[in-house]
Amino acid sequence: MSEKAALYRRPVLTALSILILVIALEVLYLYSNRLTPKFEFITNNGASAPAIKTSQLHYLMPATSENELFCAVIASALVNRYPVPFIIGWKGQGKFNATAAHIAKLHAMKRYLNTLPHGGDPDDLVIFGDGHDVMAQLPADVIVERYFQVAAEADRRLADRFGISVEEAHERGLRQTLFWGADKMCWPPLHNEPQCAAIPESPLPHNTFGSKSDNGDFVYSHARFLNSGSVIGRLDDLRKFIDAGVAEVERTFDPKSKHKFSDQVYLSRLFARQEISRTERLREEAFPKLDRNLTTPQFEEEGAQNTTEYHVAIDYASDFVQTGCYSHKWMQKLRYNNSDNTATMHLDRFDHGSHFKPYSIQMPANVYQSFLRVFDSLPDHLLSVTGRDWIESLELDTNIVSSSIFGFYHATCGKRVLINDFKSYWFYPLIKPLLRASFQATQAGQLISSKLIDGRRWEYKVSYPEEGVSEEQLGGVFTDFKNQTYIPFTTLCAKHLDILGL
């Protein structure tokens, strides 16, 4: 090739090289934009949404003093990764003394919800459970995710009940956000009052308990009455409902009444008022006419009469809390050790006789994943098995009627065997390393869940204080007693550590 030809060839090659490079960079840019995840959320109308919201979970327990039952309940909450429990009414006096009167719980809850000593937002979630008999079984992340699933289904049922869409129900201010425990019997037994006679039936099938369903025996009755010992729901709605409960106490307190100190009777009346109001507003034919002997609520104050919608619902399927009274026949410890993460029920609890065949109950995927997360947090030397093998070895209390591995057990109708129940739960053999792992996770600022739930991050309400933490690092509690705002677990339960396996 001549020098002249070579002279022209070099600029052409350079230009081609530059062109190829530009094309390559353009292609790379286009594909990288398609493949790189964008941390931007688009709303339904196409507009960019604000940054991901972080919400908190509050965990409240009423108690005036400690005993072995209280310490077992605290331990169960800590090992299941709930926020540091906040004890309300601790060493309470006067109207805050729950030992003297159960309505003290309402005053203590009202004080917390209206002052929020550690802050909070209206759409935070609050879990409340009686401090001496509501024991945790499932980790916190499962319950938070389950809450939004159950609430969505409850809203759908409410809308269906009145023949409207969920969106229209919400526009009318109708929704279900506060899920209280479910009792099989109305207590106190004021059978002519609306809270016993005018509340909805359970949405579970009428023959749920087999051929003996609703035969007059409470064992075979549907759980549909409000139990005030547990609730999970939005902070703002719970505050409104508890404020109304305290107002109801103050307005209707009868010193001659046998049940004057029962918090349950006042809250149940508000629930009944809500249900009667819903019916009157939307579909008069939804309920039969009330019995002429029925005592209907009397609203003496104009404001109280106009406030009837509290978003109160009942935990019919024991998704959150399983009450014990008349329910033990339907509670079964199961090992979910089949290859598809199911457990096999071999007992004929429904009295099918010769027609009975063993059947399977499915473990939800988020329960499996949550236990796997717990397993991974433990020191390697503790367990010489795989995470799957460990999970398959766990015995999990299950409501075999609703097929729900319930989040908490509420020992209604007797607490005498609660310590034995505590020792039979999945966490007891590993309680000390589990307590320590939970403490470390909280201190490290880990989120309650590694994924978004309801489009939000969920974090622990508070972490442990920098001072006053015991060397054992097993956790502790906050209280509303001004002279004892934080108590390490080993100090709080020093008299009962041997009973708890510590």
Side-chain angles (χ1 to χ4, degrees):
M1 181 181 298
S2 67
E3 291 185 9
K4 185 176 181 180
L7 185 64
Y8 286 104
R9 187 166 180 253
R10 290 192 192 99
V12 172
L13 290 175
T14 301
L16 286 173
S17 299
I18 293 173
L19 180 61
I20 292 171
L21 179 61
V22 169
I23 293 172
L25 289 174
E26 182 69 19
V27 170
L28 179 62
Y29 172 78
L30 291 173
Y31 275 86
S32 64
N33 276 348
R34 292 179 61 188
L35 298 176
T36 302
K38 297 180 185 300
F39 296 97
E40 179 182 61
F41 290 79
I42 306 301
T43 60
N44 290 335
N45 61 10
S48 294
I52 299 171
K53 179 178 175 62
T54 298
S55 293
Q56 299 173 338
L57 178 65
H58 305 239
Y59 195 94
L60 307 182
M61 291 183 182
T64 57
S65 60
E66 52 77 25
N67 62 17
E68 68 274 14
L69 299 178
F70 172 72
C71 289
V73 167
I74 292 292
S76 74
L78 293 176
V79 298
N80 278 291
R81 308 293 182 91
Y82 287 91
V84 183
F86 194 101
I87 311 304
I88 57 174
W90 186 247
K91 298 185 178 182
Q93 299 295 321
K95 67 180 182 180
F96 297 106
N97 184 3
T99 302
H102 283 179
I103 55 175
K105 294 190 299 185
L106 300 182
H107 292 290
M109 289 178 73
K110 176 182 173 69
R111 180 169 63 183
Y112 178 91
L113 295 170
N114 282 277
T115 60
L116 296 176
H118 294 144
D121 292 329
D123 58 353
D124 282 354
L125 285 184
V126 180
I127 294 177
F128 167 89
D130 280 346
H132 291 86
D133 55 12
V134 178
M135 189 163 61
Q137 178 182 220
L138 291 182
D141 57 334
V142 174
I143 297 305
V144 173
E145 185 171 8
R146 184 177 291 182
Y147 170 81
F148 291 101
Q149 295 167 345
V150 172
E153 177 61 21
D155 279 355
R156 185 196 60 77
R157 286 199 308 268
L158 178 61
D160 287 348
R161 174 176 158 194
F162 299 117
I164 58 179
S165 68
V166 172
E167 292 74 19
E168 186 178 356
H170 290 174
E171 288 173 1
R172 297 189 186 188
L174 296 167
R175 62 178 69 238
Q176 310 279 57
T177 66
L178 302 178
F179 293 89
W180 293 85
D183 273 342
K184 284 176 170 280
M185 61 184 294
C186 186
W187 187 263
L190 303 172
H191 298 300
N192 285 333
E193 291 196 12
Q195 69 269 20
C196 291
I199 60 171
E201 297 294 331
S202 166
L204 298 180
H206 68 89
N207 60 345
T208 288
F209 304 100
S211 61
K212 297 181 181 179
S213 295
D214 293 322
N215 65 354
D217 184 340
F218 285 127
V219 172
Y220 297 93
S221 297
H222 286 76
R224 62 189 184 95
F225 300 99
L226 186 147
N227 182 293
S228 62
S230 67
V231 66
I232 178 172
R234 279 179 58 113
L235 188 154
D236 55 351
D237 289 335
L238 184 59
R239 178 167 51 208
K240 176 183 175 182
F241 187 56
I242 296 303
D243 285 350
V246 171
E248 185 77 2
V249 172
E250 295 171 347
R251 187 176 65 82
T252 65
F253 186 83
D254 180 2
K256 298 179 181 179
S257 171
K258 179 180 178 181
H259 306 292
K260 59 183 177 292
F261 293 129
S262 170
D263 59 309
Q264 186 155 302
V265 72
Y266 298 104
L267 296 184
S268 295
R269 284 171 177 166
L270 292 179
F271 172 53
R273 179 187 299 174
Q274 169 187 278
E275 294 308 307
I276 291 173
S277 175
R278 283 176 172 180
T279 301
E280 291 175 346
R281 285 175 58 192
L282 297 176
R283 285 185 62 182
E284 291 290 341
E285 71 274 16
F287 287 117
K289 291 184 179 180
L290 300 180
D291 187 277
R292 65 182 60 185
N293 295 320
L294 191 64
T295 303
T296 55
Q298 300 299 311
F299 309 134
E300 297 176 1
E301 300 180 57
E302 182 178 354
Q305 185 175 6
N306 294 330
T307 303
T308 57
E309 178 57 48
Y310 298 106
H311 308 327
V312 171
I314 303 298
D315 182 16
Y316 295 109
S318 301
D319 288 306
F320 305 114
V321 177
Q322 173 67 64
T323 53
C325 204
Y326 298 106
S327 294
H328 286 92
K329 179 181 176 69
W330 314 110
M331 296 164 53
Q332 186 68 36
K333 287 191 180 298
L334 297 176
R335 289 185 178 178
Y336 290 78
N337 55 6
N338 295 328
S339 60
D340 57 353
N341 293 331
T342 61
T344 302
M345 181 62 185
H346 293 283
L347 300 177
D348 181 15
R349 294 297 192 192
F350 298 94
D351 304 318
H352 290 155
S354 60
H355 298 289
F356 173 76
K357 293 182 180 180
Y359 58 95
S360 297
I361 296 178
Q362 181 72 57
M363 173 188 283
N366 65 343
V367 174
Y368 180 88
Q369 292 296 328
S370 182
F371 278 124
L372 198 59
R373 186 183 182 197
V374 171
F375 176 86
D376 290 340
S377 72
L378 295 171
D380 293 339
H381 68 272
L382 279 181
L383 296 166
S384 58
V385 296
T386 66
R388 183 177 186 85
D389 289 339
W390 179 69
I391 294 171
E392 289 181 350
S393 73
L394 304 180
E395 290 189 334
L396 301 176
D397 246 343
T398 304
N399 182 315
I400 62 171
V401 174
S402 63
S403 298
S404 175
I405 306 173
F406 44 85
F408 298 82
Y409 168 61
H410 186 182
T412 53
C413 290
K415 307 173 179 62
R416 289 176 298 176
V417 298
L418 187 63
I419 293 298
N420 290 335
D421 291 332
F422 173 80
K423 292 180 178 180
S424 72
Y425 267 46
W426 68 269
F427 48 74
Y428 184 74
L430 296 168
I431 187 166
K432 193 166 187 175
L434 283 169
L435 285 170
R436 185 169 290 122
S438 176
F439 173 88
Q440 293 170 349
T442 302
Q443 287 300 82
Q446 289 185 13
L447 295 174
I448 291 176
S449 174
S450 58
K451 60 185 177 183
L452 299 183
I453 301 175
D454 190 46
R456 298 182 258 170
R457 294 189 186 94
W458 290 88
E459 67 179 10
Y460 292 101
K461 180 68 194 71
V462 287
S463 59
Y464 292 99
E466 294 182 2
E467 298 180 0
V469 175
S470 68
E471 293 182 1
E472 289 288 325
Q473 296 190 343
L474 302 183
V477 301
F478 290 101
T479 84
D480 58 2
F481 183 55
K482 64 180 180 179
N483 295 329
Q484 204 173 24
T485 56
Y486 175 76
I487 313 174
F489 182 74
T490 49
T491 301
L492 176 69
C493 299
K495 299 177 183 178
H496 315 293
L497 297 180
D498 56 337
I499 296 175
L500 302 177
L502 297 169

